[in-house]
Amino acid sequence: MLVENIKAEFNLYKNQAEKSDFFLKREEAFAEFEKVGFPTTKNEEWKYTNLKNITNQSFQSTCESTIETELMLSHAFLKELTANKLVFVNGSFRPELSTIIETDESIVISTLAKAKTAHSELFNKHFGKYAPIEGQGLNAMNTALLSDGAFIYVPNNKTVTNPVIIVNIADSTDVNVLCQPRNLIIVEKSASLTLVETFYAVGNNPSFTNVVNEVYANENAHIEHYKIQNQEGESYHNNFTQIFQEANTNINHVTLTLSGTLVRNNLHFFMNGQNCNSLLYGLYMPHGTELVDNHTRVDHAFPNCHSDELYKGIMMDKSVAVFNGKIMVHLDAQKTNAYQRNQNILLSNEATVNTKPQLEIFADDVKCTHGATIGQLDEEPMFYLRSRGIPADVARKMLLNAFADDIAERIKIPELVELLEQEIEKKI
Amino acid sequence: MLSIKNLKAEIEGKKILNGLNLEVKAGEVHAIMGPNGAGKSTLSAVLAGRADYEVTEGTVDFDGKDLLELSPEDRAREGVFLAFQYPIEIPGVSNTNFLKTAINEKRKYQGLEPMEATDFLKMMREKMELVEMDKSLTSRSLNEGFSGGEKKRNEIFQMAMLEPKLGILDETDSGLDIDALRLVSEGVNKLRNKERSFIVITHYQRLLDYIVPDFVHVLYKGRIVKSGDASLAKELEEKGYDWIKQEVEANS
């Protein structure tokens, strides 16, 4: 049982740890974890996503990996892309696989473990300040026993020239592996960053990746944030990303879920100033009995902000998708523009989609829309293409590509768009 | 080229075509006219292979092949082209990619290699000029944001690219102003030749001022009840369809 593994692991850690502020934070998180445990389907937010296949198994944190470097990297997407790469295998940083090409020394592209001492002021100012622990068992578990992760700091007015890719590989060759990456991203005033998170799995045993991201965007910052989840085999994934936006910030976030036994994404935006722009896009295409759950929340706490959300699903076989998007427009958030859509295509009679677009509006001068669709591929476009001599299977691919195109066009890295197209080709 | 014998078809149990006969030879242009609800669009749908229509009786022979046995894509690849009454918009599928796929699928069917990119672009340019199609439209998504006239012209452009043996124009004139109608008709006229045949389905005679048919047929209650030359269309324009209806009722 996972809960016992966690307890044992924490006790082990506790006996060796220095009693620092960081330790106290973790101890507090562990206490919260013991109190609330794992979410169950009795919790409304987890109604359709049952974690029992995770919590009933044993997992262990390990930095061991027997997979060879070459093989490991052959799994890594975007090999050819010119980028800063931080590679983590089972949550441990692997410097020999990583490369930093950024030459501006004021920009920090490092790891959390190093930043704790090397950038302790920044670390203490931001760590644990955005992702909530209270009532959030999985976040508490991450905080209590996090392995390592990226630490990125972009000072005022700086632009990281090339994207930063955080490659996360779960290697379950020898054991059931638990990875708990924790990333802290700080983008200061008028600075900009393109960030890509990728997730893979190798090995035949189950793996459980439990990620917490804290992203802080100071005034006028611009962040492009892409997530690619492609963990094959028996792999479970929970991701909590909290993005905290000061005034005039612009965040474009795209989540691509290509594979994973169970993938739960919690993506939260908090707008802490006027004129923020938050863009949330997602594409999922589960097959077999995979489950993909996207829970998003956008907090419009100040006036004159804009958010746009579009999640699209291509559902195959007996797969299940959950979409729950919540837009909270607070009392003071006048002149809010908030849009939200979830669209799904069922390619099989046995696939299921549970969708719940939600608006909670406490201001009175706002423009908000939301909507969801679930349907089959339309007959009319299909017939049109076939009537021009295009066979049904080719026509179907063209239409599904067109459906996915709405999301692909939100991605500003051409290599990533190309990769997505190849993955769609492979999956359908 | 096309021989339709005693064709009967229904949709959701409703009989629409009731024993239709039509012979079209290579190079001929046949106009099918008729009042609303006569079965004009059903005829085009059945010939193109729309699944919601059920053929209950009759045969359609197309150059020695049983057309009704073929899938919609095979009909197209054998040389049947339907210009839709309401061409739909397909966002995310580019016009160019769509046409390249269609042409290469046809070539594959014929056992030919895919077309060279340069040849394809050259052909695009030529055919665009032929039907006076605006170049900017081809880089856009299929029919997305096109005006009614642009959509119809795009149908004719596709026909020019796919070079069918038989073009079926399903109420191509509907929703077009006189300038658009002229442009579309000129495009069709440029595609007329000794081998290529057309079936022009229309409610109004005005299209036939531009695309002058060799034969005019009146469809009523699912059958062709009267045939003649282009002058029959003029007569219908003057007198309407009532006299035909009365003639049919009197004979039955």
Side-chain angles (χ1 to χ4, degrees), chain A residues 136-150:
Chain A
Q136 300 278 353
L138 289 159
N139 288 2
M141 173 175 125
N142 176 287
T143 306
L145 287 167
L146 62 93
S147 34
D148 197 357

Side-chain angles (χ1 to χ4, degrees), chain A residues 77-112:
Chain A
F77 278 161
L78 302 167
K79 289 192 289 284
E80 269 94 62
L81 184 68
T82 309
N84 300 285
K85 287 173 196 164
L86 294 168
V87 179
F88 296 87
V89 180
N90 289 346
S92 298
F93 182 56
R94 297 286 291 264
E96 79 282 13
L97 303 176
S98 304
T99 38
I100 305 299
I101 57 172
E102 180 55 54
T103 51
D104 186 329
E105 286 179 3
S106 67
I107 293 170
V108 182
I109 302 171
S110 181
T111 65
L112 205 68

Side-chain angles (χ1 to χ4, degrees), chain B residues 55-190:
Chain B
V55 174
T56 52
E57 225 180 298
T59 57
V60 179
D61 180 281
F62 182 68
D63 267 352
K65 289 222 160 64
D66 180 357
L67 194 71
L68 299 176
E69 282 298 304
L70 300 178
S71 65
E73 52 268 38
D74 283 351
R75 295 178 196 204
R77 293 185 285 198
E78 287 290 341
V80 177
F81 183 94
L82 170 65
F84 284 70
Q85 183 178 2
Y86 304 110
I88 58 157
E89 301 190 7
I90 311 186
V93 173
S94 87
N95 252 313
T96 307
N97 185 32
F98 157 68
L99 274 172
K100 197 187 283 171
T101 309
I103 284 178
N104 285 333
E105 287 295 341
K106 184 173 179 175
R107 291 176 67 89
K108 195 156 108 190
Y109 185 78
Q110 293 166 334
L112 299 170
E113 291 291 309
M115 208 169 188
E116 293 285 335
T118 49
D119 293 343
F120 175 76
L121 290 174
K122 188 163 162 262
M123 186 181 183
M124 286 266 284
R125 267 200 307 276
E126 283 170 11
K127 304 290 183 178
M128 259 187 287
E129 264 169 46
L130 188 74
V131 300
E132 296 182 47
M133 170 101 172
D134 192 316
K135 278 194 188 71
S136 70
L137 296 180
T138 56
S139 59
R140 291 177 29 197
S141 280
L142 189 46
N143 289 330
E144 194 185 27
F146 285 26
S147 71
E150 286 168 343
K151 281 182 188 167
K152 296 292 171 75
R153 218 174 316 157
N154 197 17
E155 294 291 287
I156 306 306
F157 171 57
Q158 291 172 26
M159 180 154 72
M161 290 292 288
L162 291 167
E163 301 178 325
K165 291 184 202 160
L166 172 68
I168 303 167
L169 310 184
D170 186 8
E171 309 220 15
T172 293
D173 50 335
S174 70
L176 291 190
D177 62 31
I178 201 76
D179 292 327
L181 184 68
R182 188 181 47 79
L183 270 173
V184 166
S185 306
E186 279 170 7
V188 173
N189 285 333
K190 285 177 192 157

Side-chain angles (χ1 to χ4, degrees), chain B residues 194-231:
Chain B
K194 267 184 264 173
E195 280 83 44
R196 186 170 295 140
S197 314
F198 287 90
I199 295 176
V200 182
I201 293 171
T202 178
H203 187 76
Y204 299 105
Q205 183 262 341
R206 64 171 192 169
L207 177 66
L208 305 180
D209 285 342
Y210 297 97
I211 306 171
V212 181
D214 300 307
F215 302 94
V216 174
H217 309 278
V218 180
L219 186 64
Y220 180 57
K221 290 192 170 170
R223 279 170 38 235
I224 284 171
V225 293
K226 200 167 189 70
S227 298
D229 59 16
S231 67

Side-chain angles (χ1 to χ4, degrees), chain A residues 380-381 384 386-389 392, chain B residues 50 73 76 82 88 91 155 158:
Chain A
E380 276 302 305
Y384 192 91
R386 292 179 71 193
S387 78
R388 298 301 181 247
Chain B
R50 244 186 220 282
E73 52 268 38
L82 170 65
I88 58 157
E155 294 291 287
Q158 291 172 26

Side-chain angles (χ1 to χ4, degrees), chain A residues 26-75:
Chain A
R26 296 176 88 164
E27 197 174 40
E28 195 188 320
F30 181 72
E32 184 67 16
F33 171 74
E34 279 200 300
K35 195 173 104 193
V36 299
F38 295 108
T40 67
T41 52
K42 284 183 196 132
N43 180 336
E44 183 65 23
E45 300 294 314
W46 292 84
K47 194 173 167 185
Y48 301 107
T49 302
N50 195 330
L51 298 182
K52 71 173 192 324
N53 285 345
I54 305 173
T55 56
N56 286 345
Q57 299 198 61
S58 283
F59 288 93
Q60 47 178 297
S61 306
T62 169
C63 35
E64 300 288 314
S65 172
T66 52
I67 298 288
E68 283 170 32
T69 312
E70 300 269 304
L71 183 63
M72 196 71 85
L73 282 182
S74 72
H75 282 267

Side-chain angles (χ1 to χ4, degrees), chain A residues 208-219:
Chain A
F208 178 29
T209 306
N210 181 40
V211 193
V212 173
N213 290 320
E214 293 184 288
V215 180
Y216 175 77
N218 209 338
E219 290 167 24

